[in-house]
Amino acid sequence: MSPNSSLLTPHSSLSSPNSSLLTPHFWLITGGCGFIGSSLVSYLLEMKAGLRIRILDNLSVGGRKDLVTACGLQEAESIASDTWQTGGGACELVAGDIQDPEACFKAAQGAKIVVHLAANTGVGPSVDDPRGDMQANVLGTLNMLEAARHSGAQKFIFASSGAPVGEVSPPIHEELAPHPVSPYGASKLAGEGYCSAYFRTYGLKTVALRFGNVYGPGSTHKSSIVAKFIKQALAGEACEIYGDGTQTRDFIYRDDLLEAILRSARADIGGEIFQIATSKEHSVNEVSEFIKQKLKKHRIPMEIIHTEPRLGDVQRNYSDTTKARNILGWTPKETLDSGLEKTVRFFLAQASS
Ligand SMILES: NC(=O)c1ccc[n+]([C@@H]2O[C@H](COP(=O)([O-])OP(=O)(O)OC[C@H]3O[C@@H](n4cnc5c(N)ncnc54)[C@H](O)[C@@H]3O)[C@@H](O)[C@H]2O)c1
């Protein structure tokens, strides 16, 4: 099923999953109204596999509209209901907070695959409010693990990041001792720790995926580098680089990430951590220049300014993804050039609609 919105790019680069493997499954996606969550909902429903998807989201960042669009519905079709039947299956939104254990228990009832994406995202907010970050990311994750174990879930996929590893000599890999720099890194590390413990103590098949910097269509509200620069340029504002811009990141296109989530759901593994990125290191200066050139083709100027480095940011970050390739059979497909092109086109289409 193709989403109705012309702003959503179909997930054409994804491999065609064997839908029979997924048919009996009932997915719970926390944070399913957000960038990655709503993209995952859209992707799963495109499989036409008769899936059942429940979303638990407190609507603090992503909203009902994002989800309705991801389900390929017009907003008018969904008035007065939080349950939608789509060509790809049934989708249900539960508005609730992962910090509320009861909401987590209720949401997990019947779910076989839990994808835990809801979180306090990003380094900046965690530096401003480390306690709030801990409550959402540590207690929230513990609540979801408890809910998943008691409801008999078969798989628990946790959205982690490179941040738990912190300031080390890259490439980051799964065996490096973690030294988180930011409170966000510390809270994601705690989540990874609980995932390991829930597999080894209770047998819940957990998989922690350490996402690189995810970009792509649908990232409208994100303040990470790619989305932020394109939005600032389109608004005629200067694009702000923290520090001298030599800091490096590993940028992964949305659809490659979704494929990794899907493969983790299918694989018969537990208690594992995987780096999910591209194994390529790009500086912030380099990426901003790529975006500048792409926008220039559309006669959109991009002014770059440098401001103070941000507390909690690491200088270099890219991943070694050998383990994901060997165990999940996963490799990223999208080049930075083509992924950025699709992302710029998404924002341009959105700006002109
Ligand atoms: N986007 C990236 O580059 C990136 C990189 C590494 C890790 N991650 C992780 O991936 C996950 C998803 O990221 P995203 O980019 O889609 O973020 P997002 O902010 O777009 O989505 C997060 C969603 O979670 C919801 N949410 C937040 N706090 C909640 C709470 N307490 N209870 C219930 N719902 C809550 C928000 O409303 C939002 O819809 C996060 O865990 C994030 O830390 C993202």
Side-chain angles (χ1 to χ4, degrees), residues 30-37 56-63 96-99 116-122 136 159-162 184 188 211-215 221-222 224:
T30 73
C33 295
F35 165 41
I36 296 168
L56 175 65
D57 198 300
N58 69 359
L59 310 179
S60 59
V61 180
D97 202 295
I98 53 166
Q99 294 175 64
H116 179 43
L117 301 170
N120 183 53
T121 65
S160 189
S161 127
Y184 172 70
K188 288 287 184 185
F211 306 162
N213 272 54
V214 192
Y215 70 98
H221 64 261
K222 295 303 291 182
S224 43

Side-chain angles (χ1 to χ4, degrees), residues 41-274:
V41 170
S42 168
Y43 172 47
L44 292 174
L45 291 176
E46 276 175 30
M47 291 178 201
K48 298 190 178 177
L51 294 181
R52 184 162 173 204
I53 303 174
R54 185 179 291 145
I55 286 101
L56 175 65
D57 198 300
N58 69 359
L59 310 179
S60 59
V61 180
R64 201 167 185 280
K65 191 165 180 284
D66 300 291
L67 190 60
V68 167
T69 308
C71 288
L73 300 170
Q74 303 295 344
E75 219 180 345
E77 292 178 59
S78 64
I79 289 172
S81 167
D82 278 329
T83 309
W84 307 290
Q85 192 63 43
T86 76
C91 189
E92 176 191 1
L93 170 63
V94 176
D97 202 295
I98 53 166
Q99 294 175 64
D100 172 359
E102 210 172 313
C104 298
F105 273 98
K106 277 192 190 151
Q109 290 312 304
K112 294 293 169 227
I113 298 175
V114 177
V115 183
H116 179 43
L117 301 170
N120 183 53
T121 65
V123 166
S126 80
V127 172
D128 294 342
D129 180 11
R131 185 179 296 278
D133 178 81
M134 181 279 288
Q135 279 161 344
N137 293 2
V138 183
L139 292 179
T141 299
L142 183 74
N143 286 341
M144 283 313 308
L145 282 163
E146 274 293 89
R149 128 173 131 92
H150 286 292
S151 68
Q154 291 167 1
K155 187 62 70 67
F156 186 97
I157 299 166
F158 171 60
S160 189
S161 127
V165 182
E167 195 72 76
V168 293
S169 288
I172 295 176
H173 60 80
E174 296 81 358
E175 299 308 318
L176 281 176
H179 297 98
V181 174
S182 62
Y184 172 70
S187 65
K188 288 287 184 185
L189 179 60
E192 289 183 357
Y194 278 109
C195 283
S196 169
Y198 268 64
F199 174 63
R200 289 171 174 87
T201 304
Y202 306 113
L204 176 62
K205 287 184 177 164
T206 57
V207 178
L209 300 179
R210 289 177 173 164
F211 306 162
N213 272 54
V214 192
Y215 70 98
S219 53
T220 314
H221 64 261
K222 295 303 291 182
S223 55
S224 43
I225 299 165
V226 173
K228 186 178 89 164
F229 287 169
I230 300 173
K231 285 188 287 185
Q232 285 175 326
L234 289 177
E237 295 164 7
C239 300
E240 183 187 14
I241 293 180
Y242 301 120
D244 65 6
T246 58
Q247 64 272 34
T248 61
R249 298 292 178 263
D250 192 331
F251 294 89
I252 178 165
Y253 188 65
R254 175 198 71 177
D255 292 6
D256 282 326
L257 176 74
L258 300 181
E259 176 74 17
I261 293 175
L262 189 71
R263 284 175 183 261
S264 305
R266 287 185 193 156
D268 187 16
I269 50 172
E272 296 287 356
I273 296 178
F274 295 98

Side-chain angles (χ1 to χ4, degrees), residues 14-50:
L14 296 170
S15 70
S16 186
N18 179 349
S19 58
S20 64
L21 284 173
L22 294 158
T23 306
H25 288 311
F26 176 173
W27 293 59
L28 167 64
I29 303 173
T30 73
C33 295
F35 165 41
I36 296 168
S38 61
S39 302
L40 180 62
V41 170
S42 168
Y43 172 47
L44 292 174
L45 291 176
E46 276 175 30
M47 291 178 201
K48 298 190 178 177

